[in-house]
Amino acid sequence: MSKRNTQQRRQIIANMVQEQGEVSVEHLATLFETSEVTIRKDLTALEESGFLLRRYGGAIKIPTELIEESHEQLSKQKLAIAQAAVQQIREHNRIIIDSGSTTGALVKALNQTGLVIMTNSLALANELTTLECEPTVLMTGGTWDSRSESFQGKVAEQVLRSYDFDQLFIGADGLDLLRGTTTFNELIGLSQVMAEVAREVIVLIESQKIGRKMPNLELQWQQIDKLITDDQLLPEIQLQIEQQGVEVILAKN
């Protein structure tokens, strides 16, 4: 089975778990006409990515109490990462802010004057227009993607290429220590263009997402200059990232 079909199968499995609450290896093997060994590999990969919990004979949806338990800590991590990211921005910088919840926390923390900010997110654009520092706000336009709640596509890419920027601030669904940032979303073209037109690429990501290997490689290590995460990152993992030539900044909670 092709790599693309593997990605599609895993996406369907993740959706089934969210909708049904649980799935069995036997049923999935029959449904996808593949071996139980292959399905077990799928479930292991999805568990490592934080989409489900493995159980004997199958997998279940992550219990609500576990999600709620981690929510407050996640919020603290995002805020700390946002504060560390703001310190990287100079007044009058021209920056790109990609869509996402962590980058959204960055927007709320901005206080520099004279900023020119491009975003592909309607929500972030609206937030930017309310800031007291009154940045100049640019939108990529393009094709609306409901899953990422952002504009994507060729039009957005062409708009980005019409400018040059000092910095890109971008989040990530996961991070493969060997390859770079990863995502389940197949629409990675705009992220690539964002990185191309920015002199400095800064990834904002919580430490628990580091090690998640999503199917799609978004940005390779050589495209990334800095990575800002929380102070729960293990020293040995930090060293592996720094060996890729990336500066690691730990945000204090």
Side-chain angles (χ1 to χ4, degrees):
M1 181 169 286
S2 71
K3 182 179 179 182
R4 180 179 177 84
N5 285 341
T6 297
Q7 294 171 9
Q8 292 174 337
R9 185 179 64 246
R10 290 178 180 177
Q11 182 65 71
I12 293 170
I13 292 172
N15 291 338
M16 288 176 64
V17 171
Q18 291 302 309
E19 293 170 2
Q20 301 174 16
E22 62 180 317
V23 292
S24 73
V25 171
E26 182 179 3
H27 173 69
L28 292 174
T30 301
L31 178 65
F32 292 104
E33 298 180 344
T34 189
S35 70
E36 292 189 3
V37 171
T38 296
I39 295 299
R40 290 191 187 97
K41 289 180 180 178
D42 290 340
L43 296 181
T44 297
L46 289 168
E47 183 178 49
E48 290 176 351
S49 299
F51 286 93
L52 50 76
L53 290 179
R54 291 291 310 277
R55 287 293 184 268
Y56 180 77
I60 63 171
K61 184 178 179 179
I62 297 176
T64 304
E65 57 269 24
L66 292 183
I67 298 173
E68 291 176 346
E69 185 178 290
S70 63
H71 179 72
E72 183 179 352
Q73 180 63 24
L74 282 174
S75 296
K76 289 180 179 179
Q77 289 174 343
K78 290 180 189 294
L79 290 173
I81 291 169
Q83 289 296 332
V86 164
Q87 295 175 24
Q88 302 297 310
I89 303 172
R90 299 176 183 174
E91 292 190 347
H92 302 286
N93 266 13
R94 299 164 63 88
I95 65 177
I96 308 169
I97 302 180
D98 190 22
S99 60
S101 57
T102 308
T103 51
L106 166 62
V107 166
K108 295 179 186 300
L110 290 171
N111 55 18
Q112 294 87 343
T113 59
L115 296 177
V116 176
I117 303 174
M118 173 80 79
T119 184
N120 62 331
S121 165
L122 275 177
L124 295 192
N126 287 332
E127 186 78 28
L128 287 165
T129 61
T130 68
L131 296 180
E132 290 185 9
C133 60
E134 298 183 341
T136 298
V137 181
L138 307 174
M139 284 289 298
T140 63
T143 303
W144 181 254
D145 173 48
S146 58
R147 175 170 176 171
S148 63
E149 296 187 343
S150 64
F151 289 104
Q152 303 285 338
K154 296 299 182 183
V155 171
E157 293 173 14
Q158 290 171 5
V159 170
L160 277 165
R161 288 195 171 103
S162 300
Y163 298 85
D164 63 280
F165 296 90
D166 299 301
Q167 295 168 304
L168 162 64
F169 292 89
I170 186 169
D173 294 325
L175 190 145
D176 186 327
L177 291 170
L178 295 179
R179 301 188 299 161
T181 62
T182 58
T183 179
F184 255 120
N185 196 333
E186 293 184 352
L187 300 176
I188 59 175
L190 193 66
S191 299
Q192 296 284 337
V193 175
M194 286 179 174
E196 288 174 16
V197 300
R199 296 184 184 87
E200 183 177 54
V201 176
I202 302 175
V203 172
L204 313 180
I205 186 171
E206 301 98 315
S207 61
Q208 66 266 26
K209 291 183 179 179
I210 295 176
R212 288 184 180 178
K213 299 178 181 179
M214 304 295 186
N216 300 302
L217 178 63
E218 191 165 24
L219 295 180
Q220 298 181 53
W221 282 123
Q222 56 265 37
Q223 297 173 281
I224 302 169
D225 298 291
K226 295 179 181 177
L227 183 142
I228 303 177
T229 188
D230 56 81
D231 57 6
Q232 300 302 304
L233 184 68
L234 296 174
E236 57 268 31
I237 302 300
Q238 179 178 347
L239 179 60
Q240 287 186 57
I241 296 172
E242 290 173 339
Q243 288 174 339
Q244 298 287 351
V246 175
E247 179 183 348
V248 177
I249 299 172
L250 300 183
K252 303 295 183 182
N253 286 333

